[in-house]
Amino acid sequence: MTASTSNFSTRERILGVAEVLFARHGFAGASLRQVTSAAKVNLAAVNYHFGSKDGLIEEVFRRRLDELNRQRLASLAAALARPACTLEDVLDAFIRPALEQSMDSAGGAAFVRVLARAYAEHDERLRRFLADNYGHVLREFVIAFARLLPGLAREELHWRLDIVAGALTYAMADFGMIKRRQEVSEHSHRDMTIRHLIQFTAAGLRAGCAHA
Amino acid sequence: MTASTSNFSTRERILGVAEVLFARHGFAGASLRQVTSAAKVNLAAVNYHFGSKDGLIEEVFRRRLDELNRQRLASLAAALARPACTLEDVLDAFIRPALEQSMDSAGGAAFVRVLARAYAEHDERLRRFLADNYGHVLREFVIAFARLLPGLAREELHWRLDIVAGALTYAMADFGMIKRRQEVSEHSHRDMTIRHLIQFTAAGLRAGCAHA
DNA sequence: GTCTATATAAGGATAGAC
DNA sequence: GTCTATCCTTATATAGAC
């Protein structure tokens, strides 16, 4: 049981490497030859295991999204179970799992960039895929937010949640100009990001509401 | 003086088409063959006018960024000249030119997606290019925001402006899930986006400040 | 400044042996 | 399930005529 990557199956090695290379060079920019060479597997293995390059791309998404969905729904349920559940609690359930996935061992950091890139690619096929996997999760959150912001019209709430999603996506992909300083650990930098995002978006969501 | 595209020079036609195709398929995904074919110019023309594919990409950026920078600085100066300049005024100067460029005739809409994609590509070369072109504009805005939010620590302000930039980038690229309804014109949808962004981010920036 | 033609490389995918 | 070898397409770039 060494830490050598050779312990993982060909299939898993391909997925891990593809995630990193897609994040770095894009779906079109990373070739299957780069992927299979870096994963130290044969070129033909991709077609054998995933059928095509598109099949590989889809599997890269599915593997991480299943886990993220699970965590978000669990955190939301935990928040709602609390007697005095606040807007900040629900925002935390939405934001924290996404940002924490971006600091788990290696792959997660790559994946969030892949995800952000998928948005940028504006590919309708991928958007539909994401909507199918994320749709019900988002709806649960909309319900929770609506309960905590009773003074807000439904359409107004949708506009604002869209802005929250934007700020989160940007932060997940580490687009921002704020560089982590040497003396701050990656872990606490991530915590600060989460804290600032929650504080900012909570205020934005409450804008114009008497108190909430 | 017909509206035919053939009135534009080869160089301009390439730039216009490249902008649209880069937005749609990414820098790696859009080939020079697609570009020259759609622009109805010869394949070799790209290398003649821009040296290489990378040269073309850079020129696509420069053309729009110069104009956006100019507009933002002009709007900021106009806002600051007002006797009672509000936080919302400065946010408007920052946000509106960016979103308005995304609804001018055809090309602008494509460009903002190109810009968002450049962030996603995470290419250090492009980031440096953007920082060189945007840097001084952002610094001007930081100064203006700092004056309007005197209670906010400088580091806190940077965090929050980073979130503003994220929400704006997301909105510019039209990533969001809010679809414009048929009966709403593109123009007024854009205005609503601007209004919501300003309201949300103003509240977020003010979070925790006594009044401001 | 624009064309044709082509050099040269890299891409995705598959057939068939093992 | 993994390999080699190869097909076929597409890519960027350039040479040289006009």
Side-chain angles (χ1 to χ4, degrees), chain A residues 23-60:
Chain A
R24 197 174 302 162
H25 304 118
F27 301 116
S31 71
L32 294 186
R33 286 178 154 81
Q34 286 177 281
V35 170
T36 52
S37 150
K40 294 200 177 71
V41 304
N42 190 272
L43 171 61
V46 167
N47 282 60
Y48 176 77
H49 284 285
F50 306 100
S52 69
K53 186 177 187 175
D54 278 353
L56 170 60
I57 292 173
E58 235 177 59
E59 200 54 34
V60 165

Side-chain angles (χ1 to χ4, degrees), chain A residues 156 160 204 207-208, chain B residues 88 91 194-204:
Chain A
E156 187 69 32
R160 296 187 184 188
Chain B
E88 280 80 358
L91 278 169
I194 292 173
R195 192 164 51 75
H196 280 101
L197 265 176
I198 291 176
Q199 185 185 23
F200 189 102
T201 54

Side-chain angles (χ1 to χ4, degrees), chain A residues 40-115:
Chain A
K40 294 200 177 71
V41 304
N42 190 272
L43 171 61
V46 167
N47 282 60
Y48 176 77
H49 284 285
F50 306 100
S52 69
K53 186 177 187 175
D54 278 353
L56 170 60
I57 292 173
E58 235 177 59
E59 200 54 34
V60 165
F61 277 94
R62 195 186 312 277
R63 194 174 57 147
R64 298 276 178 192
L65 287 185
D66 288 354
E67 175 62 10
L68 179 58
N69 276 357
R70 203 191 55 71
Q71 286 179 15
R72 271 182 163 161
L73 288 178
S75 297
L76 177 61
L80 292 178
R82 257 169 254 154
C85 173
T86 68
L87 182 60
E88 280 80 358
D89 290 334
V90 175
L91 278 169
D92 190 278
F94 186 71
I95 289 172
R96 184 176 298 274
L99 281 172
E100 279 187 345
Q101 198 173 59
S102 77
M103 63 174 292
D104 85 349
S105 54
F111 175 70
V112 291
R113 297 231 306 267
V114 173
L115 193 58

Side-chain angles (χ1 to χ4, degrees), chain B residues 4-15:
Chain B
S4 159
T5 49
S6 339
N7 283 335
F8 296 108
S9 70
T10 294
R11 187 190 151 86
E12 286 303 309
R13 284 224 304 287
I14 293 174
L15 280 174

Side-chain angles (χ1 to χ4, degrees), chain B residues 145-157 160 205-212:
Chain B
F145 282 122
R147 277 228 310 259
L148 288 161
L149 296 161
L152 218 56
R154 183 54 66 109
E155 193 186 335
E156 186 70 31
L157 176 63
R160 296 188 184 187
L205 285 173
R206 287 196 182 100
C209 294
H211 46 103

